[in-house]
Amino acid sequence: MTVVLVHGVPETPSVWDPLRAALGRQDVRALRLPGFGGPRPDGFGSTKEEYVAWLAGELESMGGEEIDLVGHDWGGGLVVRLVSLQPELVRSWVTDAPGLGHPDFQWHDLARLWQTPGAGEQFFEQLAATPVEARVGAFEGFGVPREHAASIAGGIDAVMGESILALYRSAVRVAEEWSPAFTDIPAPGLVLLPSEDAYLPADVARRSAERAGATVADLPGLGHWWLLQDPAMAAAKLAEFWRGADK
């Protein structure tokens, strides 16, 4: 049995460290998205479908291990698509971004800015010119603990910025393209629903979970970075779900 964790934007695998500690397991692997704190393969365009294919390849390379897949933010979006197309690759799946697979999903304002040519590039140019301390304060404003805010803010570089822009621009019509297949997923699924997430609307998440046949675990009082705010609560929800998947 292997737990596979997939991070989001603008993150690296270190975002999972507190949750990994709270889980207290040795069979946990945190993947690194190409371009996020590391290089991109030659010819890799950082589109959403390329990331899904990359994730499928990572799981297939594990040699038939039973995999409990967990994704946060865009990592959660990749989980949505992966289990829509190849549910046989996982024993179970968890996402906090099920809305990407619902017809009513709409992008938040920051995503729309990144999807706009010129404006997205300007955003990352200005970010690069902003002192790291100011960036840290912005993440703290979203509820990220300071020590983790510093890690996230300091990890954003030019390659990550280019990857983010390409990813979001490939996903302008993600609801239209992904929602038809995200229904009645045969592998057991769990949707994590933090009550204070400003980016992923709860109503669409609940309806998407229902269409997919997934259960829902509420994370009261937590926001988008629930895995950093209260890793113990998140670990308990995951452990409970996995116990049920064992039956």
Side-chain angles (χ1 to χ4, degrees), residues 80-194:
V80 163
R81 189 59 167 170
L82 185 284
V83 301
S84 298
L85 301 177
Q86 296 177 272
E88 72 279 0
L89 291 180
V90 304
R91 185 187 80 115
S92 72
W93 55 276
V94 180
T95 181
D96 61 2
L100 273 68
H102 193 279
D104 294 337
F105 175 77
Q106 294 184 353
W107 282 114
H108 51 80
D109 290 344
L110 184 56
R112 292 175 183 173
L113 185 149
W114 288 340
Q115 289 165 345
T116 304
E121 283 79 3
Q122 184 178 24
F123 175 91
F124 281 102
E125 288 170 5
Q126 292 176 343
L127 186 66
T130 301
V132 172
E133 186 63 26
R135 293 189 234 166
V136 170
F139 282 105
E140 284 186 289
F142 287 105
V144 180
R146 184 171 182 80
E147 64 271 25
H148 303 299
S151 176
I152 294 173
I156 303 172
D157 60 14
V159 174
M160 185 184 292
E162 293 168 2
S163 301
I164 290 170
L165 293 181
L167 175 57
Y168 274 90
R169 289 173 184 178
S170 74
V172 172
R173 300 191 301 166
V174 67
E176 175 186 340
E177 294 168 352
W178 283 8
S179 63
F182 191 54
T183 58
D184 301 319
I185 306 302
L190 175 69
V191 166
L192 295 175
L193 196 60

Side-chain angles (χ1 to χ4, degrees), residues 37-91:
R40 289 175 293 184
D42 291 342
F44 190 83
S46 295
T47 66
K48 67 185 191 306
E49 303 302 343
E50 286 174 296
Y51 278 115
V52 173
W54 166 85
L55 177 57
E58 290 290 310
L59 301 186
E60 288 167 345
S61 73
M62 295 181 189
E65 295 180 40
E66 285 196 309
I67 294 170
D68 292 318
L69 184 61
V70 182
H72 163 59
D73 184 79
W74 253 113
L78 300 181
V79 168
V80 163
R81 189 59 167 170
L82 185 284
V83 301
S84 298
L85 301 177
Q86 296 177 272
E88 72 279 0
L89 291 180
V90 304
R91 185 187 80 115

Side-chain angles (χ1 to χ4, degrees), residues 92-94 188-190 215 236-246:
S92 72
W93 55 276
V94 180
L190 175 69
T215 56
K237 298 286 187 181
L238 291 172
E240 180 181 5
F241 169 64
W242 291 327
R243 283 194 297 271
D246 286 332

